[in-house]
C-alpha cells in the first residue's frame, strides 16, 4: 500500500502534456472549456463536494467517485478522466486557484490509489471560482460550488 506522500510525489513527477500552473492559464482554459465539446463524454458534476477551505475527500465524496468509477472498471473500458476542481468565490482568486487544483489532485490521488487508474489517463486542473453552479451570495450556493467535476471520455 502506497502512502499519500509517495502518491503525491509520483503525481508531481508525472509530466502532463500542458499543465495549467498559473491562474492565467487556468482561467483561460476554464473559460474556453465546455464539457459538451468532448465527443462521447459524460459529465458528473455536483456529487463530489468539499467542506469550506478543504481538499480532503469525505466519505460521501469517495462514494460519489466510486459510483462513477466502478462501472467503468467492471466493463474494463478505455477511458480518460478530466478532473475539474472548483471553489466558491470566498477568498482571493489566487488562493481559490490553488484550492481548486488541490481538490482535483485529491480525486486524482484517490483514483490512482484505490483503482490503479494510470496517471496518463487523468488530467486535473483548477477552474477556481470562475464556473459556479450555485449562487455565491448564499451559503447553500457556495457549498454547491466547492466541488470536482469529472468528465469521462470513453
Amino acid at each position: 500500500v502506497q502512502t499519500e506522500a509517495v502518491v503525491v510525489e509520483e503525481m508531481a513527477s508525472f509530466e502532463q502534456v500542458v499543465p495549467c500552473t498559473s491562474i492565467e492559464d487556468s482561467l483561460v482554459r476554464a473559460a474556453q472549456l465546455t464539457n459538451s465539446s468532448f465527443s462521447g463524454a459524460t459529465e458528473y458534476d455536483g456529487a463530489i463536494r468539499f467542506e469550506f477551505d478543504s481538499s480532503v475527500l469525505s466519505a460521501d465524496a469517495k462514494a460519489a467517485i466510486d459510483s462513477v468509477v466502478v462501472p467503468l472498471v467492471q466493463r474494463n473500458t478505455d477511458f480518460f478522466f478530466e478532473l475539474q476542481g472548483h471553489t466558491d468565490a470566498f477568498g482571493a482568486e489566487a488562493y481559490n486557484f490553488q484550492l481548486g487544483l488541490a481538490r482535483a489532485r485529491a480525486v486524482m490521488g484517490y483514483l490512482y490509489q484505490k483503482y490503479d487508474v494510470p496517471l496518463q489517463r487523468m488530467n486535473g486542473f483548477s477552474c477556481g471560482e470562475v464556473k459556479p453552479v450555485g449562487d455565491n451570495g448564499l451559503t447553500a450556493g457556495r457549498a454547491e460550488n466547492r466541488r470536482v467535476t469529472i468528465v469521462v471520455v470513453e
Side-chain angles (χ1 to χ4, degrees), residues 89-139:
F90 189 82
E93 185 177 59
Y95 181 80
N96 285 339
F97 166 76
Q98 292 298 327
L99 182 57
L101 188 59
R103 289 174 176 168
R105 287 181 174 167
V107 174
M108 186 182 284
Y110 181 75
L111 292 170
Y112 179 74
Q113 281 185 311
K114 183 164 184 181
Y115 295 102
D116 295 320
V117 175
L119 294 174
Q120 67 268 23
R121 290 181 138 201
M122 298 183 277
N123 184 38
F125 69 96
S126 177
C127 292
E129 60 191 56
V130 300
K131 295 186 86 88
V133 294
D135 182 348
N136 276 305
L138 302 172
T139 302

Side-chain angles (χ1 to χ4, degrees), residues 52-65:
F52 175 74
D53 197 27
S54 174
S55 61
V56 176
L57 290 170
S58 67
D60 288 343
K62 289 177 182 178
I65 296 166

Side-chain angles (χ1 to χ4, degrees), residues 14-57:
F14 181 75
E15 297 268 318
Q16 294 183 349
V17 178
V18 182
C20 291
T21 57
S22 71
I23 294 172
E24 293 79 17
D25 290 348
S26 180
L27 296 179
V28 167
R29 183 168 182 183
Q32 294 172 342
L33 181 68
T34 58
N35 294 338
S36 61
S37 66
F38 289 104
S39 177
T42 305
E43 178 180 329
Y44 300 91
D45 194 12
I48 305 169
R49 300 263 179 92
F50 294 84
E51 293 296 319
F52 175 74
D53 197 27
S54 174
S55 61
V56 176
L57 290 170

